[in-house]
Amino acid sequence: EYFDGLLVMALEYKIIKDPVHGTVKLHPLLVKIIDTPQFQRLRHIKILGACVFVYPGASHTRFEHCIGTAYLANKLLKNLRDNSAEHGRTLDDVVTDEDRLCLEIAALCHDLGALPYGLALDKCFEMFLHENPKMTAKGQMDYSYRAMTMFQHLYKKNNLEGDFKRFFTRNLDKNLLFIKELIFGSPLNGSKNYGGRVEDNKKFLYKIIRNCQNGVDIHKWDYLTRNSKGLDISISLDVYRFLECVQVDEKFEMIMIPIKLHNNLFALFSERQLLCRTACQHKTVIAIEYMIADIFWAAEKAGLLPFPGSKVTLMECLVHGDMEALTNLKDSILDIIRFQASSCQHEEAHKVLNLFEFLDQRKLYRQGYFKKGPLPQLKTDPYSKDRYIGEILSRAKSSTKLKSEDVFIHITCFDYGNGQDNPIKMAYFYDKKNPFRRTQMSDSQMSLMYPKTFQEYQFHFYVKFLDLESRREAEECCLEWYRTISQSSNVEDHSSPKEITPTKVYIYGSSM
């Protein structure tokens, strides 16, 4: 009977082939979670959203990313145990089987709250709250909060209590709290202390999936590797080199890597911002994201109902945190909106169809001015952006009919994960002579070839569908405005209105 039980358990494990990590073995409880509508929706949400319009290979999804992150959680805990045992310390009494399973579940579910074309939806939601200042989202737009809430919904909707009790024979509520804290990345309900695992020797478990202290976590390791593969942009990150060398400090608070790998760690942070700069903040991707945001916003004003069998609009779903509606929110939302707009007579519905037509014909919003460097005096909230646009357009000639909705400003901050400072300063290392003693690198130990500045802002000014004269007028106004506020005549301009050339399209290339 004992061996029959083991055979049944073995049969319940699933083995899949992942394009990044190879063969992945999934625990039976993870399989139960995967086989739910709430998790299956991740098959239909691309990680890089609108980047697929520019990089056709960027079609990988949140589904595979979550499975890859769960695999890395299992692998990291196994290596922590083995590496500690090699130096005479056991983690068997510290990390229990329930701890391992909780961590794998949290890693699997950390992206449950992902939105299709998330950056575009965020911009649309920003417009919605800007026009409805009395309405608040009560935290629903927070990425990790939405993932945690969706996990709760998945657990209740699919009646998984019995399945969880099968593997968590005691303290089910405590384990569920631990999973939610791992997904959320911080204590719940405004508490200062974690409640899922209160033991001092388990603090490091909270640093594995979302490491808010220094950004060294498995979530980042997987998506950087996966995005690099999808974008066909080579990076030097070797996830398995880090995995083979990880260690826990003597106080069981931090995950450490060998100090000899500090240059490899710096490359991780450097390549993260490189991928973001090259793909996510590509000038054409920005234009497309704002066009999709305008489609969402026009659909909202037209009263289109994108959820089958529901009278909830897109923004209402996000404001009220409607998990049932969110379960049906996938990349197909654009197709649904397009179909509904085709039979709607509302003026905004016609705007939706026009925007789709422009997207198909590659008639995109146009970058009119671009500047990069330190921009500490510029704020990124929608009220400040409205004020900046008003100041820019006030310089236009009275004969030019420029409106605030004809242009937009996009401000991006790039850094290495630690603001203006070197991210290596926040990381923890160990030396092989003393593998449990954590240390941080001093300035004298840093390579002289590290950059002096670790943060940069980018200012983008875009014009929408204007005639040539109006577009030139808007670009000249922006250039004049920026030179006025910069208070520095010797700062190099990386572009000017006269230098802007029409966007080139490479139909068969990897970029457009």
Side-chain angles (χ1 to χ4, degrees):
E1 183 177 347
Y2 172 76
F3 290 105
D4 288 343
L6 289 180
L7 179 61
V8 171
M9 287 287 291
L11 292 174
E12 290 179 341
Y13 275 84
K14 297 292 184 183
I15 296 178
I16 66 170
K17 183 72 172 179
D18 181 71
V20 171
H21 303 300
T23 303
V24 175
K25 187 176 182 181
L26 297 171
H27 187 279
L29 191 52
L30 269 64
V31 176
K32 292 291 292 186
I33 294 172
I34 291 172
D35 295 338
T36 61
Q38 291 74 24
F39 194 89
Q40 288 294 318
R41 72 182 278 269
L42 300 181
R43 286 185 184 272
H44 312 287
I45 299 179
K46 291 180 280 293
I47 293 180
L48 294 176
C51 285
V52 74
F53 288 91
V54 179
Y55 294 87
S59 58
H60 50 293
T61 66
R62 301 279 179 182
F63 181 86
E64 56 200 82
H65 165 56
C66 286
I67 291 177
T69 307
Y71 167 78
L72 291 182
N74 179 285
K75 185 77 172 175
L76 185 138
L77 285 177
K78 180 180 181 299
N79 288 352
L80 283 176
R81 181 194 63 194
D82 295 344
N83 293 343
S84 292
E86 285 182 7
H87 296 92
R89 183 181 68 177
T90 178
L91 290 183
D92 292 339
D93 297 332
V94 177
V95 182
T96 65
D97 290 339
E98 290 190 348
D99 293 336
R100 294 188 185 95
L101 185 53
C102 284
L103 201 75
E104 284 189 63
I105 293 172
L108 183 74
C109 298
H110 80 280
D111 250 1
L112 277 179
L115 298 176
Y117 305 104
L119 294 178
L121 258 181
D122 286 344
K123 292 177 179 66
C124 178
F125 194 70
E126 189 178 84
M127 300 178 203
F128 177 78
L129 292 181
H130 186 39
E131 291 203 3
N132 300 272
K134 294 183 179 180
M135 190 171 290
T136 60
K138 299 180 181 179
Q140 275 82 349
M141 278 305 291
D142 180 85
Y143 185 86
S144 54
Y145 178 89
R146 195 166 53 236
M148 181 197 69
T149 307
M150 181 59 88
F151 170 75
Q152 291 177 305
H153 177 70
L154 178 152
Y155 178 80
K156 294 178 181 178
K157 187 72 176 179
N158 296 281
N159 300 313
L160 294 183
E161 182 178 357
D163 297 286
F164 271 69
K165 283 183 176 180
R166 177 181 173 187
F167 298 100
F168 298 110
T169 55
R170 53 192 178 91
N171 298 324
L172 176 60
D173 291 340
K174 187 176 181 180
N175 286 313
L176 286 174
L177 175 60
F178 182 41
I179 293 171
K180 289 187 285 187
E181 288 175 336
L182 288 170
I183 295 173
F184 190 52
S186 60
L188 303 182
N189 302 321
S191 174
K192 294 182 179 179
N193 301 311
Y194 288 107
R197 295 294 185 270
V198 298
E199 299 88 343
D200 289 339
N201 62 354
K202 293 183 185 287
K203 291 181 179 179
F204 71 95
L205 295 175
Y206 287 103
K207 307 290 195 308
I208 292 177
I209 300 173
R210 296 187 189 275
N211 191 341
C212 299
Q213 187 159 1
N214 56 38
V216 182
D217 52 49
I218 56 173
H219 155 68
K220 193 175 283 81
W221 292 351
D222 183 86
Y223 84 68
L224 284 177
T225 307
R226 204 170 294 275
N227 287 352
S228 168
K229 186 179 179 68
L231 293 166
D232 194 23
I233 298 176
S234 299
I235 61 174
S236 62
L237 172 63
D238 185 353
V239 171
Y240 299 100
R241 180 83 187 274
F242 288 119
L243 281 175
E244 291 298 327
C245 303
V246 289
Q247 190 61 272
V248 184
D249 72 323
E250 57 192 354
K251 295 183 179 180
F252 297 95
E253 293 178 344
M254 299 293 171
I255 303 293
M256 306 179 296
I257 61 173
I259 196 166
K260 66 180 181 180
L261 295 184
H262 70 275
N263 283 328
N264 303 69
L265 183 61
F266 182 81
L268 181 151
F269 292 110
S270 177
E271 288 164 348
R272 172 177 172 267
Q273 63 88 24
L274 173 65
L275 286 176
C276 182
R277 185 188 301 268
T278 306
C280 301
Q281 295 300 317
H282 187 288
K283 68 174 185 177
T284 309
V285 173
I286 294 173
I288 293 173
E289 281 177 349
Y290 274 86
M291 291 184 73
I292 295 175
D294 284 346
I295 289 173
F296 288 146
W297 185 226
E300 184 72 18
K301 291 194 285 186
L304 301 183
L305 305 174
F307 303 107
S310 174
K311 295 184 178 181
V312 178
T313 67
L314 188 56
M315 293 300 103
E316 288 172 344
C317 164
L318 299 179
V319 167
H320 301 300
D322 189 336
M323 293 297 115
E324 192 64 38
L326 191 63
T327 303
N328 295 310
L329 188 55
K330 309 167 187 175
D331 283 354
S332 58
I333 185 71
L334 288 180
D335 297 323
I336 294 172
I337 289 176
R338 190 172 196 167
F339 175 78
Q340 291 188 343
S342 64
S343 58
C344 179
Q345 299 304 314
H346 196 284
E347 181 183 354
E348 293 294 330
H350 294 301
K351 181 180 179 180
V352 167
L353 294 176
N354 288 335
L355 285 169
F356 274 119
E357 185 177 348
F358 291 142
L359 269 177
D360 292 340
Q361 297 174 358
R362 209 67 179 181
K363 296 178 180 178
L364 309 178
Y365 296 162
R366 178 189 177 96
Q367 187 187 69
Y369 182 75
F370 170 67
K371 181 72 177 175
K372 62 182 179 181
L375 307 173
Q377 69 271 35
L378 294 181
K379 298 179 181 179
T380 59
D381 63 277
Y383 298 97
S384 297
K385 288 181 181 179
D386 281 353
R387 178 165 55 86
Y388 300 151
I389 289 174
E391 293 172 356
I392 290 171
L393 298 186
S394 67
R395 300 170 182 271
K397 300 175 183 177
S398 57
S399 60
T400 307
K401 298 180 180 179
L402 289 175
K403 300 178 182 179
S404 59
E405 57 264 28
D406 294 330
V407 301
F408 66 88
I409 289 173
H410 180 78
I411 302 174
T412 308
C413 177
F414 293 101
D415 60 41
Y416 286 67
N418 191 27
Q420 299 180 5
D421 297 325
N422 189 335
I424 298 297
K425 291 183 177 181
M426 298 297 294
Y428 290 92
F429 304 93
Y430 70 88
D431 188 274
K432 62 181 181 180
K433 295 180 180 179
N434 195 343
F436 302 131
R437 180 177 175 271
R438 75 185 188 208
T439 182
Q440 291 182 281
M441 292 188 66
S442 62
D443 290 336
S444 61
Q445 293 176 296
M446 300 287 181
S447 170
L448 296 177
M449 298 186 70
Y450 285 166
K452 300 298 181 183
T453 303
F454 295 91
Q455 189 177 66
E456 177 184 87
Y457 285 83
Q458 287 190 356
F459 174 88
H460 303 260
F461 178 76
Y462 280 80
V463 295
K464 298 185 181 180
F465 305 116
L466 299 174
D467 58 79
L468 181 61
E469 182 182 355
S470 298
R471 189 180 71 215
R472 287 298 185 190
E473 177 74 11
E475 292 168 354
E476 290 286 355
C477 290
C478 181
L479 177 60
E480 182 184 343
W481 171 81
Y482 190 87
R483 284 176 174 169
T484 301
I485 67 162
S486 65
Q487 299 178 352
S488 176
S489 59
N490 60 347
V491 177
E492 178 186 357
D493 285 329
H494 294 267
S495 67
S496 66
K498 295 181 180 179
E499 295 169 351
I500 294 293
T501 56
T503 303
K504 296 180 180 179
V505 182
Y506 299 94
I507 297 178
Y508 299 106
S510 62
S511 63
M512 302 179 187

